[in-house]
Amino acid sequence: MDPRLLSSSAALRRESAALPGHTRAHNRALVLQMLYRGTPLSRADIARESGLTRVTVSDLVGDLLREGLIVERGIRPSNGPGKPAVLLEMARDNQQIVAIDLSGHDVFRAVLTNLDGEISEEVSIPSPGVTGDEAASLVDDLLEWALQLTTAPVLGVGIGVPGIVDRDQVVRRSISLDWTNRSLAPALSTRFGVPVSVANDANVAVLAEHSFASGGDDLLLVKIGRGVGGGLLLDGRPVLGSRLTAGEIGRVLVCPSTGSEAVALESLITAPTLRKQIEKAVIAGETADAALQRAGQVLGSALAPLITSLGLTSVVLTGPSEVIGDVLIDATREAVDASTADDVDHVDIHVTPLGPDIVLRGAAALVLSERLGIV
Amino acid sequence: MDPRLLSSSAALRRESAALPGHTRAHNRALVLQMLYRGTPLSRADIARESGLTRVTVSDLVGDLLREGLIVERGIRPSNGPGKPAVLLEMARDNQQIVAIDLSGHDVFRAVLTNLDGEISEEVSIPSPGVTGDEAASLVDDLLEWALQLTTAPVLGVGIGVPGIVDRDQVVRRSISLDWTNRSLAPALSTRFGVPVSVANDANVAVLAEHSFASGGDDLLLVKIGRGVGGGLLLDGRPVLGSRLTAGEIGRVLVCPSTGSEAVALESLITAPTLRKQIEKAVIAGETADAALQRAGQVLGSALAPLITSLGLTSVVLTGPSEVIGDVLIDATREAVDASTADDVDHVDIHVTPLGPDIVLRGAAALVLSERLGIV
């Protein structure tokens, strides 16, 4: 068979998944997206903005009301002779999401959120050095515990995992959890009777920044922890790549100093390495800032070609607050500026405002995207 | 107004454009895409693969048959007691596309293609140094001439322009044509009564590589001409970015040699610069290859961080054959290999098999995408 046909049919299947063949699901997502992002709308508003017929909209709205995903809230008086319009909005607290973050150094966290990704309850289980089946069993316990705290129907469970997760939500490889080709979702979903979605921790973090902060549409998120992870969003869509590694800036080679041999970025700017470098700097009679400035220098030099050739508008950093702060950001920005031919004033380089909850919020955004088509 | 709301509503509008609110157009594109890429299919095959109902499929197929976009061709005997199935396929020669390339050094070219992007007729107009209104008027003449040669209804006109073209197909800026905010499509469309689509030359070239060659789903196309252009495709979708510059690798800073000051890639590897460097090398008693090897070296060093952090599987070069060949490719590949921490055996770096027609074929692919939703 012509390999082009194979690859085209793979592209088509993906396309079908993104553009649901099931029209109804597509239209439903369109209506939900409109109500999720904006002010309350009438059925007529929705029909006008979506291009769907009034009949289709009434039908979809009826279903969404019955499911409790939206509510009728208030009335807009008519300007003319027509009837006043009933306004619709998302029922943001009628359902809950369970969001789980497995990327912590020695703890697995779970929270309950509403449909806005606002956290109401949190539970966590210490997981120092726990890997393999034992780690999976802790996830089981954590989810059971979180579900006991729910006070409304559960829309879904989202899990952010440090490692490579494929499009079928299988964890291909997680070094820190020592997982290979582990399929978490089906077992959890069967056991607890709720839909479960799994994705890479940096990839859900970029969803959180896009959905709940001001991340913009062309956004690279750099997650500094035990390793250096990255998540990429271009034209407002998450990008994964056929190798599932889009955004993974950690493997880019950089020169730690002029004339030195190039090494992978992640060997220089993980959280543990940065802490060590700060310690060393202090012992050598320098300030901690000197070490962070050097780190910003190499990070900026790795970011510059990406910013230039992708036209990125935002780079967002997340990581422990003792290393990810103004000093690192300023040095990074300076290095980006020095390493690009163009003016980069339009590029916003900042620490996420979502703090240490970014993966949890992202896991909630993953559920909104997978279950309701809201991105 | 909260800037988030603004940016979200922009994202929503874009989303609506990509996922047409008009369901029918979406389903129609889905059916066309299936017939375009694959072997002949029956109505039942289409319903099964698309998830659409039999009634919807019959209805859409009826329309497409009447429009002459598809034909019934042959019958597949039944395996069981059912009726034999009538097979459908694209009517690849029932309509023609006019594709225009304005990126040539001193010529504007136009061709007619069938729906497979296969070229049947070519016309061209010399355009040495022609810019501004005069250039626009040459495009007028060229299109009029090309339309006179058509022997079937015209699906649409696609134009590849060297410069920044926005999502509304306005040429924001073309240095070589001296155009600023020029809206080509509406006037041409009105005058000739055909739909006209306009995009950047490298961005249509990447469509051509994806549609008509073996470019893969994560592809950077580098177009070496008077400047250095780039087009990017990730997860099988063209990526433009909010600044319309995604893929523009020419502005990435590189070091021409160890210890030298960094300069923009495009100042080193345009076609004229490469020709000059070859000349100089020969005068200095070196071979032409030595100059091309140095060029490959800097190109490879600029590509490496992109390949690594996007997980690209293909990098495709296009440009004049006396500079874009095996020597440049081999040196580029070597430099990429030396500048990445990972094994890059999976990355296919090659010269486009589409030759100097790549922008024309891409302009045809643009029409297929804009008019029929085929990508």
Side-chain angles (χ1 to χ4, degrees):
Chain A
M1 190 179 179
D2 177 353
R4 257 190 71 202
L5 285 178
L6 265 176
S7 106
S8 301
S9 97
L12 178 59
R13 275 199 306 279
R14 251 204 320 288
E15 187 73 10
S16 307
L19 307 174
H22 297 276
T23 310
R24 195 175 173 76
H26 165 65
N27 292 341
R28 178 187 157 97
L30 195 64
V31 171
L32 281 170
Q33 175 99 7
M34 290 173 69
L35 288 169
Y36 190 79
R37 292 290 175 206
T39 51
L41 298 173
S42 71
R43 289 167 176 80
D45 297 335
I46 295 171
R48 195 168 42 248
E49 286 198 30
S50 65
L52 300 172
T53 66
R54 290 290 296 265
V55 173
T56 304
V57 170
S58 285
D59 194 29
L60 287 167
V61 162
D63 281 358
L64 294 171
L65 284 168
R66 266 187 299 280
E67 292 171 48
L69 278 167
I70 65 176
V71 285
E72 295 186 334
R73 173 99 19 114
I75 278 180
R76 185 168 52 210
S78 161
N79 286 326
K83 280 193 299 183
V86 177
L87 294 176
L88 300 159
E89 63 176 41
M90 288 294 293
R92 296 171 193 277
D93 296 300
N94 273 8
Q95 298 203 22
Q96 287 179 310
I97 294 171
V98 181
I100 296 181
D101 176 4
L102 304 184
S103 71
H105 182 52
D106 46 17
V107 69
F108 290 168
R109 297 172 66 198
V111 295
L112 305 184
T113 81
N114 67 5
L115 297 193
D116 276 333
E118 287 164 357
I119 295 174
S120 55
E121 294 282 348
E122 165 157 3
V123 292
S124 62
I125 291 187
S127 62
V130 178
T131 57
D133 289 342
E134 208 187 331
S137 145
L138 274 195
V139 176
D140 242 57
D141 296 348
L142 184 61
L143 179 51
E144 186 173 13
W145 189 8
L147 287 169
Q148 283 166 5
L149 300 176
T150 57
T151 53
V154 173
L155 178 65
V157 176
I159 307 181
V161 176
I164 295 174
V165 183
D166 69 20
R167 287 185 170 77
D168 296 325
Q169 315 205 340
V170 174
V171 182
R172 292 267 187 95
R173 183 88 195 99
S174 168
I175 292 174
S176 58
L177 298 173
D178 193 17
W179 286 352
T180 305
N181 294 325
R182 185 172 286 262
S183 185
L184 275 186
L188 290 174
S189 184
T190 306
R191 177 164 169 208
F192 296 107
V194 287
V196 177
S197 305
V198 180
N200 169 270
D201 55 350
N203 288 336
V204 304
V206 83
L207 285 183
E209 189 68 24
H210 182 63
S211 296
F212 304 126
S214 56
D217 277 353
D218 300 296
L219 165 63
L220 177 69
L221 181 128
V222 181
K223 184 171 188 299
I224 296 180
R226 273 174 292 180
V228 177
L232 185 64
L233 193 117
L234 292 171
D235 288 343
R237 289 173 194 275
V239 175
L240 211 50
S242 53
R243 296 176 61 81
L244 311 168
T245 57
E248 292 298 344
I249 197 179
R251 303 294 294 165
V252 169
L253 287 189
V254 290
C255 288
S257 56
T258 319
S260 65
E261 201 165 324
V263 295
L265 178 69
E266 64 184 354
S267 70
L268 298 171
I269 64 157
T270 61
T273 314
L274 285 175
R275 287 198 193 97
K276 244 180 260 162
Q277 285 165 10
I278 290 173
E279 230 169 82
K280 263 188 172 167
V282 172
I283 289 171
E286 291 183 315
T287 60
D289 286 4
L292 289 171
Q293 278 157 359
R294 283 192 291 269
Q297 194 68 34
V298 292
L299 178 56
S301 69
L303 288 172
L306 276 181
I307 289 173
T308 304
S309 52
L310 295 178
L312 294 180
T313 51
S314 307
V315 176
V316 181
L317 303 192
T318 175
S321 59
E322 75 273 23
V323 290
I324 311 297
D326 288 346
V327 177
L328 183 68
I329 290 285
D330 289 348
T332 303
R333 193 181 290 127
E334 214 170 277
V336 166
D337 213 13
S339 316
T340 45
D342 299 311
D343 181 9
V344 287
D345 285 352
H346 64 272
V347 185
D348 186 11
I349 303 177
H350 64 268
V351 175
T352 177
L354 302 176
D357 294 337
I358 188 169
V359 172
L360 290 165
R361 302 283 299 271
L366 176 68
V367 170
L368 287 168
S369 159
E370 295 267 323
R371 301 283 301 150
L372 303 181
I374 291 170
V375 275
Chain B
M1 189 179 179
D2 176 354
R4 257 192 72 202
L5 285 178
L6 264 175
S7 106
S8 300
S9 97
L12 180 60
R13 274 200 306 281
R14 249 203 324 287
E15 187 73 8
S16 308
L19 307 174
H22 296 276
T23 309
R24 197 176 172 75
H26 164 65
N27 292 341
R28 179 187 156 97
L30 195 64
V31 171
L32 281 168
Q33 176 98 5
M34 290 173 68
L35 288 169
Y36 189 79
R37 291 293 175 201
T39 51
L41 298 173
S42 70
R43 287 167 177 80
D45 296 336
I46 295 171
R48 195 168 42 246
E49 286 199 30
S50 65
L52 299 172
T53 65
R54 289 291 296 264
V55 173
T56 304
V57 170
S58 284
D59 193 30
L60 287 166
V61 162
D63 281 359
L64 294 171
L65 284 168
R66 269 188 298 279
E67 291 171 50
L69 278 168
I70 65 175
V71 286
E72 295 186 333
R73 173 97 21 113
I75 278 180
R76 185 169 50 209
S78 162
N79 286 327
K83 280 194 300 181
V86 177
L87 295 177
L88 301 159
E89 64 175 42
M90 289 294 292
R92 297 172 192 277
D93 296 300
N94 274 8
Q95 299 203 24
Q96 287 179 309
I97 295 171
V98 181
I100 295 182
D101 176 4
L102 304 183
S103 71
H105 184 51
D106 46 17
V107 69
F108 289 168
R109 298 171 66 198
V111 295
L112 306 184
T113 80
N114 66 5
L115 297 193
D116 275 333
E118 289 165 355
I119 295 173
S120 56
E121 294 282 347
E122 166 156 3
V123 292
S124 61
I125 292 186
S127 63
V130 177
T131 58
D133 288 344
E134 207 187 331
S137 144
L138 273 196
V139 177
D140 243 58
D141 296 347
L142 184 62
L143 179 53
E144 186 172 13
W145 190 8
L147 286 168
Q148 284 166 4
L149 299 177
T150 57
T151 53
V154 174
L155 178 66
V157 177
I159 308 182
V161 177
I164 294 174
V165 183
D166 69 20
R167 287 185 170 76
D168 297 324
Q169 316 206 341
V170 174
V171 182
R172 292 266 186 96
R173 182 86 196 101
S174 168
I175 292 174
S176 58
L177 298 173
D178 193 18
W179 285 352
T180 305
N181 293 326
R182 186 171 285 263
S183 185
L184 275 186
L188 290 173
S189 183
T190 306
R191 177 163 169 210
F192 297 107
V194 286
V196 177
S197 306
V198 180
N200 168 270
D201 55 351
N203 287 337
V204 303
V206 82
L207 285 183
E209 189 68 25
H210 181 62
S211 298
F212 304 127
S214 55
D217 277 353
D218 300 295
L219 165 64
L220 176 70
L221 182 129
V222 181
K223 184 171 188 295
I224 296 180
R226 274 174 293 180
V228 176
L232 185 62
L233 193 118
L234 292 172
D235 288 343
R237 292 172 191 275
V239 174
L240 212 51
S242 54
R243 296 177 61 81
L244 310 168
T245 57
E248 292 299 345
I249 197 177
R251 302 295 292 165
V252 169
L253 288 188
V254 290
C255 288
S257 56
T258 317
S260 65
E261 201 164 325
V263 294
L265 178 70
E266 64 185 353
S267 70
L268 298 172
I269 64 157
T270 61
T273 314
L274 285 175
R275 288 198 193 94
K276 243 179 261 163
Q277 285 165 9
I278 290 174
E279 229 170 82
K280 263 189 174 165
V282 171
I283 289 169
E286 290 183 316
T287 60
D289 286 4
L292 290 171
Q293 276 156 0
R294 284 191 291 268
Q297 194 67 33
V298 293
L299 178 56
S301 70
L303 288 172
L306 276 181
I307 289 173
T308 303
S309 51
L310 294 178
L312 294 179
T313 51
S314 306
V315 176
V316 181
L317 303 192
T318 174
S321 57
E322 74 274 22
V323 291
I324 310 296
D326 287 347
V327 176
L328 183 69
I329 290 284
D330 288 348
T332 303
R333 193 180 289 128
E334 216 170 278
V336 166
D337 213 12
S339 317
T340 45
D342 298 311
D343 182 8
V344 287
D345 285 352
H346 63 274
V347 184
D348 186 12
I349 303 177
H350 63 268
V351 175
T352 177
L354 301 175
D357 294 337
I358 188 168
V359 173
L360 291 165
R361 302 282 299 272
L366 176 67
V367 171
L368 287 169
S369 160
E370 295 268 321
R371 300 284 300 150
L372 303 182
I374 291 170
V375 276

